[in-house]
Amino acid sequence: MNEKLIKAYLPMSETGFYILLSLNEPRHGYGIILHVKDLTGGRINLGAGTIYGTLTKFEKDSLIEPSGEEDRRKLYRITEKGKWLLEQEMRRIDEMYVNGHEVLGGCNHDKDI
Amino acid sequence: MIKIFKWWWAWDYEKIEDWLEEMESKGLRLVETRVKGLYFYFERCQPMKARYCIDYQSKLTPDYVTLVKDDGWELYQIGMGWYILRKQYDEERPDLYTDFESLIAKNKALLAIVLAILVMECVTFGNLIWSTYKDSSKVMLPALCIGGSVMLAFFSFVITSLVMTITKFRKNQ
């Protein structure tokens, strides 16, 4: 779909991945911080400056788009382009996962999953 | 109110952030800054743990303001696009920028500003030297040349330190 996009964004940083993933539903900036904290059990605590900068960049590359307002806060949601990019990244992570388990612990992999 | 003069450089913002945090832990909370952030005004308070961050925004948008306020930051204006943000904390020290990618972007923005100023200064100085050179007396020429070299040395220092910061973040990424 877009070679340039792959070159610019893959492999994706954890921050970028989770921000994009959060926007599967319309959310505002602070909503993303709360959602990602919840999703990762408090492991990832995103900074407001990072969120703001990333949202600006994602919107410019049309990975996300504005989707209304809530309490005077701008909501965003993921676009088809953004979803496609997330799928590419997940394919990459799946491959890493499978290869890692094949080399290090095939048995554990079968037992746990 | 207590007024303190403090000279600082834009690329050395961490020093001011740490200094403000130390002041608050001693019971002095920032009230405002004046003269482009060279004078800091404090008021007495309970000694407290508070994180201070210095940020640059070429355009302060309502989206940015709501987002940082939602996240619990207070905003102080310095001027020329510079802001100080303050957030109280208990255990984990909060950060405004939590990934290397955005830190690199922030330092790149700084670098762009410094480069723009350098170009402007070069043009001004070049004009000055050229008009002195054309002038019959030329008395001011040596002084101007020395001044120009000092300026260039200063800018090289700033640019090098910024590039080194960016490289450091790149390596950590």
Side-chain angles (χ1 to χ4, degrees):
Chain A
M1 192 170 166
N2 199 333
E3 284 297 312
K4 248 192 211 158
L5 221 52
I6 289 193
K7 225 176 175 180
Y9 281 102
L10 300 194
M12 216 178 247
S13 68
E14 235 183 335
T15 303
F17 180 84
Y18 274 118
I19 292 176
L20 210 47
L21 192 69
S22 302
L23 294 177
N24 205 27
E25 273 171 44
R27 285 201 164 85
H28 52 68
Y30 188 57
I32 298 174
I33 298 183
L34 295 178
H35 183 249
V36 172
K37 203 190 224 168
D38 194 41
L39 210 59
T40 60
R43 184 174 62 87
I44 299 183
N45 206 344
L46 294 170
T50 289
I51 295 264
Y52 181 75
T54 310
L55 288 179
T56 314
K57 201 172 102 196
F58 280 175
E59 192 183 3
K60 208 181 76 202
D61 289 337
S62 22
L63 301 178
I64 60 171
E65 60 191 7
S67 155
E69 263 186 28
E70 190 187 276
D71 307 327
R72 271 187 281 158
R73 283 161 184 80
K74 200 168 166 191
L75 296 171
Y76 288 99
R77 74 161 162 242
I78 195 165
T79 60
E80 284 308 312
K81 209 168 163 185
K83 267 188 196 154
W84 176 82
L85 194 68
L86 264 188
E87 275 158 20
Q88 303 305 307
E89 175 67 355
M90 278 154 66
R91 199 172 292 171
R92 192 186 67 83
I93 295 171
D94 282 346
E95 183 195 289
M96 276 167 61
Y97 177 83
V98 169
N99 286 336
H101 276 278
E102 239 175 58
V103 172
L104 287 182
C107 312
N108 286 342
H109 169 65
D110 287 343
K111 244 183 271 166
D112 293 346
I113 309 292
Chain B
M1 274 213 285
I2 297 143
K3 175 177 157 186
I4 296 172
F5 173 81
K6 187 116 179 148
W7 183 258
W8 59 287
W9 301 106
W11 64 90
D12 223 8
Y13 53 85
E14 274 180 0
K15 211 179 268 174
I16 285 290
E17 293 176 354
D18 293 344
W19 176 67
L20 287 169
E21 186 162 347
E22 201 192 311
M23 294 299 268
E24 177 123 5
S25 71
K26 286 182 192 156
L28 285 169
R29 180 177 307 159
L30 182 69
V31 179
E32 60 174 338
T33 69
R34 282 190 203 151
V35 201
K36 309 290 176 213
L38 289 178
Y39 282 101
F40 293 83
Y41 289 78
F42 295 94
E43 63 179 13
R44 299 237 169 249
C45 68
Q46 284 287 97
M48 218 174 262
K49 271 208 259 183
R51 167 83 159 117
Y52 285 87
C53 284
I54 290 175
D55 198 16
Y56 176 82
Q57 292 287 326
S58 55
K59 214 176 100 204
L60 191 72
T61 63
D63 289 336
Y64 175 83
V65 178
T66 7
L67 182 50
V68 294
K69 287 205 169 147
D70 280 347
D71 196 30
W73 297 90
E74 261 173 83
L75 198 69
Y76 302 83
Q77 196 146 1
I78 299 180
M80 299 188 299
W82 292 90
Y83 302 91
I84 298 180
L85 294 100
R86 173 188 176 273
K87 186 179 182 177
Q88 225 171 291
Y89 70 99
D90 295 317
E91 273 151 44
E92 203 186 328
R93 191 174 185 243
D95 255 313
L96 196 58
Y97 291 94
T98 45
D99 68 335
F100 290 119
E101 220 168 285
S102 54
L103 278 169
I104 291 170
K106 180 183 173 179
N107 279 286
K108 270 191 183 164
L110 269 178
L111 189 60
I113 299 166
V114 174
L115 285 175
I117 298 173
L118 174 64
V119 171
M120 265 158 49
E121 290 285 312
C122 279
V123 171
T124 322
F125 242 86
N127 270 335
L128 217 65
I129 289 177
W130 180 239
S131 54
T132 322
Y133 182 74
K134 279 197 298 189
D135 201 51
S136 51
S137 63
K138 294 191 177 95
V139 233
M140 285 300 288
L141 203 56
L144 270 178
C145 288
I146 291 168
S149 329
V150 170
M151 188 198 78
L152 280 178
F154 171 72
F155 273 102
S156 336
F157 167 71
V158 177
I159 290 166
T160 318
S161 62
L162 273 173
V163 169
M164 271 165 65
T165 315
I166 294 174
T167 323
K168 188 182 84 190
F169 287 141
R170 277 248 167 83
K171 270 191 197 144
N172 284 332
Q173 209 174 12

